[in-house]
Amino acid sequence: MRILITGASRGIGAELALQLAAEDQHLFLVARTEDRLREVANQCNALGGAGAAVAVPYDLAGILDKPAGFTTLLEQHTDCLDVLVNNAGLLVSKPFATFTPAEERRVFDTNYFMPAQLIRICMPFLERSAAASVINVTSMGAVQGSAKFPGLSAYSSSKGALAILTECLAEEFKTLNIKVNALAFGAVQTEMLEEAFPGLQSGTSPQEMGSFFKWFVMEGWRRMNGKMLPVSDSTP
Ligand SMILES: NC(=O)c1ccc[n+]([C@@H]2O[C@H](COP(=O)([O-])OP(=O)(O)OC[C@H]3O[C@@H](n4cnc5c(N)ncnc54)[C@H](OP(=O)(O)O)[C@@H]3O)[C@@H](O)[C@H]2O)c1
């Protein structure tokens, strides 16, 4: 399969790329930090057999006002995608009362508007696949009725918006043969978690989440449409 993964320079996205590379998938890896992204792509290519990983260093903020630039970049590598994985995200933890609208907007830009715009850009590529899939990464905080944590209002709300977009697009894309689903991850021991909650131990490694994620990207989505799957070993 031809799979575009955003946020592949580190954390869960990098681990997903490595595990998919070991299954000979063709990967297009997007993130801003070029040296780390190229290192992940090199590791993928060392692991992969028939597949190949291409690093596409890019700040997804660019697609909000100049979408054509990313389309041109992607066209240099492929004319078709089977799976788009919207994994890149931004967590800012601070009390609601202290957020400025600009700070809130930055979180929503990364967690809602960039994934939404990337789906729009990738639609022609996905429509050329016999069976295509969009997988949006949300969070347990975006699940209605789940435990909520102080400081995560913008993060959880922006992921909640992405969750509802998932349901809406699943309906709208039915005739295009593009399935749209979301995974709501619980805490995973990545740099994002360590930066936001220093000292917190999640009990789930990127490798463990990456293993589930790989299965979902390769198989899981085929039996679902418009669903958000909580991926967490605690309740609520
Ligand atoms: N870790 C958790 O506990 C947890 C729990 C629930 C959900 N999630 C979600 O899972 C996903 C991955 O999380 P993670 O913990 O692996 O996060 P992470 O370690 O912070 O990695 C985030 C990735 O997103 C990329 N990224 C951020 N902004 C970008 C932009 N403007 N353009 C391009 N790439 C950008 C970063 O790369 P560059 O900095 O190189 O651009 C990085 O590769 C996120 O959507 C997160 O919200 C994580």
Side-chain angles (χ1 to χ4, degrees):
M1 286 194 291
R2 290 144 295 191
I3 303 166
L4 191 159
I5 305 171
T6 67
S9 63
R10 66 183 204 177
I12 299 167
E15 188 55 39
L16 173 66
L18 292 169
Q19 297 202 22
L20 286 169
E23 303 281 347
D24 290 342
Q25 304 304 313
H26 293 265
L27 306 176
F28 308 97
L29 308 179
V30 179
R32 293 164 299 186
T33 315
E34 186 165 353
D35 53 345
R36 289 186 73 162
L37 190 67
R38 291 204 186 282
E39 179 56 32
V40 173
N42 289 342
Q43 287 176 15
C44 286
N45 287 323
L47 279 171
V54 178
V56 186
Y58 189 80
D59 183 346
L60 288 165
I63 60 177
L64 297 180
D65 47 346
K66 292 196 181 92
F70 188 76
T71 305
T72 307
L73 201 56
L74 194 54
E75 279 170 349
Q76 289 169 14
H77 302 293
T78 186
D79 62 353
C80 176
L81 288 172
D82 301 296
V83 184
L84 164 63
V85 182
N86 267 321
N87 168 77
L90 173 66
L91 189 159
V92 176
S93 175
K94 59 186 286 192
F96 175 75
T98 67
F99 262 102
T100 64
E103 286 170 330
E104 262 177 340
R105 202 172 301 120
R106 192 169 147 250
V107 176
F108 269 79
D109 273 351
T110 306
N111 294 341
Y112 176 79
F113 287 107
M114 290 179 209
Q117 178 74 333
L118 190 58
I119 294 169
R120 229 172 261 127
I121 289 171
C122 288
M123 279 177 71
F125 295 83
L126 292 163
E127 284 179 64
R128 292 183 195 113
S129 166
S133 167
V134 174
I135 300 168
N136 295 320
V137 175
T138 70
S139 163
M140 279 305 292
V143 177
Q144 200 172 21
S146 67
K148 298 292 185 287
F149 299 95
L152 298 187
S153 58
Y155 176 74
S156 298
S157 307
S158 61
K159 292 290 193 181
L162 185 60
I164 298 298
L165 180 73
T166 301
E167 294 184 356
C168 296
L169 295 187
E171 211 46 46
E172 208 168 308
F173 289 1
K174 264 182 183 165
T175 54
L176 304 178
N177 217 9
I178 303 171
K179 289 191 167 154
V180 189
N181 292 291
L183 295 176
F185 291 153
V188 182
Q189 204 64 45
T190 65
E191 289 173 49
M192 172 184 277
L193 192 77
E194 281 153 21
E195 283 160 14
F197 303 103
L200 182 77
Q201 293 298 314
S202 84
T204 302
S205 67
Q207 291 76 14
E208 287 166 328
M209 195 55 96
S211 166
F212 175 86
F213 206 173
K214 179 198 75 176
W215 168 78
F216 193 82
V217 169
M218 292 189 66
E219 283 304 323
W221 62 269
R222 295 178 198 279
R223 303 265 56 82
M224 298 165 53
N225 197 23
K227 302 292 183 289
M228 181 164 76
L229 199 62
V231 189
S232 169
D233 51 14
S234 63
T235 304

